[in-house]
Amino acid sequence: MKLSVLRNACSGLRIHPARPGSRVCGFPGGCPPVGSASSRVILRAAASTTTTSRGASPKLVLNVGGKSREDGGYVYDVSVRDVVQSTKEAMVALHRENPGLQPALAIIQAGEDDSLLDINKKMAGKIGLNIIQICLPKECTEDEILEEVLKLNEDPRVHGVYLHLPPASLTSRVLNTLKPEKDVDGISDLNLGHLVRGDVSKGFVPPVVSAVVELLERHDAPLEGKTVLLVGGEGPLGLALQCLIQRSGMVAVNSHRSLQKQVMQADAVVLLGAQHTEVPPTWLGPGAAVIHCAPALMTDEHAFEMSTQPGIGHLTAAYRMQNVVRGSSRWLQEQQYRAWRLRSLKLQPLTPVPSDIKISRAQAPKPVDQLAEEIGLLPEELEAYGRNKAKVHLSLLDRLHAQPDGKYVLVAGITPTPLGEGKSTVTIGLVQALSAHLKLNSFACLRQPSQGPTFGVKGGAAGGGYAQVIPMEEFNLHLTGDIHAITAANNLVAAAIDARMLHEATQSDKALYNRLVPSVNGVRRFSPIQIARLRRLGIEKTDPGSLTPQEVSSFVRLDLDPSKVTWQRVVDTNDRFLRKITVGQASTEKGQMRETGFDIAVASEIMAILALADGLGDMRSRLARMVVGTSRSGQPVTAEDLGVSGALAVLMKDAIKPTLMQTLEGTPVFVHAGPFANIAHGNSSVLADKLALKLVGRDGFVVTEAGFGADIGMEKFFNIKCRASGLRPNAVVLVATVRALKMHGGGPNVSAGAPLPREYIEENLSLVAGGCHSNLRKQIQIAHLFGVPVVVALNVFKTDTQAEIDLVCQIAKECGASNAVPCHHWARGGRGSLELAHAVKEATSRPSKFQFLYSLEMPIVEKIRTIAQKVYGADDIKLSPEAMANIDDYNHQGYGTLPICMAKTHLSLSHMPDKKGAPTGFILPIRDVRASIGAGFIYPLVGTMSTMPGLPTRPCFYDIDLDPVTEEITGLF
């Protein structure tokens, strides 16, 4: 392989590695000398007229009938000068707005003919473009050409590609592999189609065609309505030329056997290629213009004798550069915010409402690339996972960094029953109403569901009825594998911990050091992550042989205390028998047994990091900071100390991209991250929200959902997520149901899997009022603590009476809600949430007075007490000795300024699940206090919270099955 860096005009441009036998090079400037010509035009065509006309690099000869050679040259020189000047002005305008932009033209050629580069390089230098030349072997294959084209297609710094190849190499496959937006010679089918249709703004005019038309229009004799004879113009290039000539007011005529007669009658003759034909000057009429286009890649025996003037490759090159600049300008325009062109999907709701999976399956989703285009995403920002979902690249944030954010709306809820009250359904119904019916840009941002609830009690989390994310099977099962990536990363840390403790317990310092820093091919060196550990230890050395025995011991010994390892393994299944296990029982582990346990995967700190990170670099840093345990000397041990943080980032590099899906009505949804709200912070990712806020635009809406009741998910959204993201909400939608309000008003217990008691299916205004004046009022007050307006959304069930609905809306407004509306999205889709959409639009138009509940500078104990008293309604807190000891450790280690993430039951405002309504007068017990340093919060454990759910007597999986013939899933909800 021969590679040399392009100099001068090519400086600073990345050169693609080429295949063996190819050459990428630059040559000194200089233009071909002007030569004389004979008194006649002799035309010899290439072997294939079609491919020559499409792909040849032309030479043009201008023979102006009765004029002198000097006058014809003047026309040509003026044409070149004017095209260069206008293109330079366009470049200046581009640089004024984008100083860092440096457009480049890439030339792929067969062999090492330097003459073409000389012309194009000189023209590029005048305009200020870069040139890159890729020289392939003279007999290069189609695959070799395609390899280079594909590289250039994906290089954002190359804005034009010129295929200077033999006609036989310009196959349909080659031409149409080249991206049309980089096809500055206008030879791809799509560009030629745009030209024929007259839509020049979307494609490129072939430079040779522009040059011919330019010379015709500059001819002294007015050519308006005059006849232009095209000789040998049967191919695509002739078709393009014919279209442009006719559009310029001239009449284009193709030649036939009576060539002499046609030449004599024509006002201008353009020779594009024909069989051996002589055109004596005596055939030309007075003042007739003759333009001769000859293929540049001809064998010697097919050389041309040219009349009167030198070739006008400079004019063609000038137009080629103009196309590169136009391509750059279009590229920049594509980088700007694009107005949405969302096509909603029509719903035809049925009565009675079918099952969720039947509704989902009855609606055909749009292809995800079509949805992406409708909402202004670029093709390169999308990474498709099948037809219905795709990852979205974070580069979108850079592209739209100057775009104002839309309105930010949080959907929270009152304290739920074990059945859930439909926050996801309300979220989806709201965005369907906003986008599909009010025609306002809106995005839903949802969490990815865990397999635990999906196969346990609660079922999936795609919404329900006619307010769903589709396809719901894909949403609820695996999605794009993010939870699997978290599981793999989490368990890699766990394996690294136990392996490190084993090796330290069974090896000397010297043996550990020799294995941790081995000699490879006689060379011994530290890895970058090991050098980072040395720096943290205060050791500035980089030569492994220079460490003292004490430094070696400090480096190799993490000295983890087995009783203080806080990191557990995870699995995304409700498995109660993994809550406490013993590891290391095999004889090969040499007695290194210890008790540990499993958490459910979504409780992993890595899930919280995924949800709170604002980029790949931030995620890498957070993964490194994760504390996995404490050494015997009381020092925290991190994933970076274990040397595993880089590998974790590799496992998580795709998971950090949000997944794009759609609702039943074709509106966009981001699905990303899935921490539980009772044992974690319970919100979808910061990145999904940020991407969505840019995409919807200033007047759009991003609707995101917080888990469980407002006392849990909403409080953590404000105090943790909003601190991490810097985003500020404009409004809160508080979801309530008559069913849950009756429970809080004194109704009997509600149990999953058991029939609802009679009180919940018959009208009972007393119970409804009791729930409104207790739990609903308290949750509205909690939202007001943060200075955010509240809209109450009553999720209507078919058993609710109109009197109950009216009562809830009335009391909610009396309790301080800015509005309270019934929602019928489950039965009607977005149309059933129009009243809510109007209420949210009105609420977000008011100024928000957002504030945090506590200062991070407050002591850890006081932050916990503030949440307990102001949010939960407790009189005070009671810390266990273990909790107090851990708080002292965290203060000593410098973690005292982190926010608080309470791990508490979601079934009550208190720590007692059976205490409904708005309990008061209780002391909140803090059993333990732990830290997720990578995620960035302290999490107190309230009561007997478990981080591994169990399966009920009759889990959901009893009803889930697969049809082996159709592969359709049944029983999922």
Side-chain angles (χ1 to χ4, degrees), residues 409-413 421-435 442-447 461-464 466-469 663 667-670 684 689 701-707 733-735 793 795 823 825-826 829-830 833 836-837 840:
V409 179
L410 174 70
V411 175
E421 309 317 307
K423 291 189 306 299
S424 298
T425 310
V426 169
T427 300
I428 297 162
L430 175 55
V431 295
Q432 288 181 175
L434 288 166
S435 289
S442 73
F443 234 109
C445 291
L446 300 176
R447 290 173 293 162
Y466 288 99
Q468 292 188 54
V469 179
T663 69
T667 67
V669 178
F670 273 141
S684 66
D689 291 357
F701 295 82
V702 170
V703 184
T704 189
E705 173 240 351
V733 173
L734 190 66
V735 178
N795 189 15
C823 301
H825 44 269
W826 183 79
S833 283
L836 175 61
V840 167

Side-chain angles (χ1 to χ4, degrees), residues 136-295:
L136 300 178
K138 194 169 185 180
E139 303 300 327
C140 56
T141 66
E142 182 181 65
D143 285 342
E144 289 176 319
I145 298 168
L146 289 173
E147 182 181 344
E148 296 300 331
V149 168
L150 289 170
K151 289 177 186 176
L152 295 171
N153 277 348
E154 301 308 315
D155 191 335
R157 288 171 290 185
V158 173
H159 298 92
V161 178
Y162 171 32
L163 301 177
H164 181 54
L165 299 167
S169 298
L170 292 167
T171 63
S172 178
R173 186 179 173 209
V174 168
L175 295 176
N176 294 305
T177 296
L178 178 60
K179 281 187 175 181
E181 59 267 30
K182 296 192 177 187
D183 170 30
V184 290
D185 265 55
I187 57 176
S188 65
D189 289 348
L190 188 60
N191 275 327
L192 287 169
H194 283 312
L195 181 61
V196 170
R197 290 179 57 184
D199 194 3
V200 181
S201 63
K202 291 186 177 178
F204 292 108
V205 178
V208 60
V209 172
S210 296
V212 169
V213 173
E214 168 78 11
L215 292 173
L216 287 173
E217 290 178 341
R218 285 185 179 272
H219 187 46
D220 281 352
L223 291 176
E224 183 75 26
K226 299 298 179 65
T227 301
V228 179
L229 177 64
L230 304 181
V231 182
E234 295 83 7
L237 191 62
L239 178 62
L241 184 55
Q242 183 176 344
C243 289
L244 240 64
I245 286 174
Q246 291 176 340
R247 214 165 287 143
S248 300
M250 297 174 263
V251 178
V253 177
N254 286 319
S255 63
H256 52 70
R257 291 183 180 178
S258 303
L259 180 61
Q260 179 178 354
K261 182 179 180 181
Q262 285 184 300
V263 170
M264 295 178 70
Q265 293 174 347
D267 300 294
V269 179
V270 179
L271 303 172
L272 291 169
Q275 297 305 316
H276 304 288
T277 304
E278 294 189 3
V279 181
T282 55
W283 288 8
L284 301 173
V290 178
I291 299 177
H292 189 175
C293 305

Side-chain angles (χ1 to χ4, degrees), residues 381-402:
E381 293 168 340
L382 211 64
E383 189 176 316
Y385 281 63
R387 182 182 183 277
N388 302 313
K389 55 189 182 292
K391 290 285 193 181
V392 174
H393 288 254
L394 305 185
S395 59
L396 172 69
L397 289 174
D398 295 327
R399 178 169 69 87
L400 298 182
H401 71 278

Side-chain angles (χ1 to χ4, degrees), residues 346-549:
K346 301 301 179 186
L347 277 185
Q348 295 179 327
L350 302 177
T351 304
V353 177
S355 70
D356 292 349
I357 198 164
K358 284 184 178 179
I359 293 172
S360 172
R361 197 168 287 145
Q363 184 73 293
K366 294 177 285 190
V368 70
D369 56 346
Q370 177 187 325
L371 173 65
E373 182 180 3
E374 291 176 356
I375 62 174
L377 285 166
L378 303 179
E380 58 266 27
E381 293 168 340
L382 211 64
E383 189 176 316
Y385 281 63
R387 182 182 183 277
N388 302 313
K389 55 189 182 292
K391 290 285 193 181
V392 174
H393 288 254
L394 305 185
S395 59
L396 172 69
L397 289 174
D398 295 327
R399 178 169 69 87
L400 298 182
H401 71 278
Q403 172 67 20
D405 289 344
K407 301 291 174 44
Y408 197 26
V409 179
L410 174 70
V411 175
I414 65 171
T415 303
T417 68
L419 307 177
E421 309 317 307
K423 291 189 306 299
S424 298
T425 310
V426 169
T427 300
I428 297 162
L430 175 55
V431 295
Q432 288 181 175
L434 288 166
S435 289
H437 298 275
L438 297 186
K439 305 304 178 185
L440 297 169
N441 295 352
S442 73
F443 234 109
C445 291
L446 300 176
R447 290 173 293 162
Q448 179 184 351
S450 164
Q451 181 180 298
T454 300
F455 292 101
V457 176
K458 195 165 177 269
Y466 288 99
Q468 292 188 54
V469 179
I470 56 172
M472 67 94 77
E473 308 100 296
E474 296 184 27
F475 179 92
N476 286 312
L477 302 173
H478 305 298
L479 198 65
T480 48
D482 294 356
I483 293 180
H484 300 313
I486 289 165
T487 301
N490 185 100
N491 293 343
L492 179 61
V493 176
I497 291 168
D498 286 314
R500 186 60 176 263
M501 289 194 297
L502 168 69
H503 295 313
E504 288 188 23
T506 56
Q507 296 181 49
S508 66
D509 289 353
K510 182 179 180 181
L512 278 171
Y513 193 55
N514 287 339
R515 288 180 171 88
L516 287 171
V517 193
S519 175
V520 179
N521 296 325
V523 179
R524 197 176 188 189
R525 61 167 59 95
F526 294 116
S527 68
I529 203 167
Q530 290 176 326
I531 290 176
R533 171 161 170 76
L534 289 170
R535 297 294 177 268
R536 291 194 300 278
L537 293 171
I539 302 171
E540 299 297 324
K541 300 174 181 178
T542 56
D543 178 7
S546 65
L547 268 63
T548 66

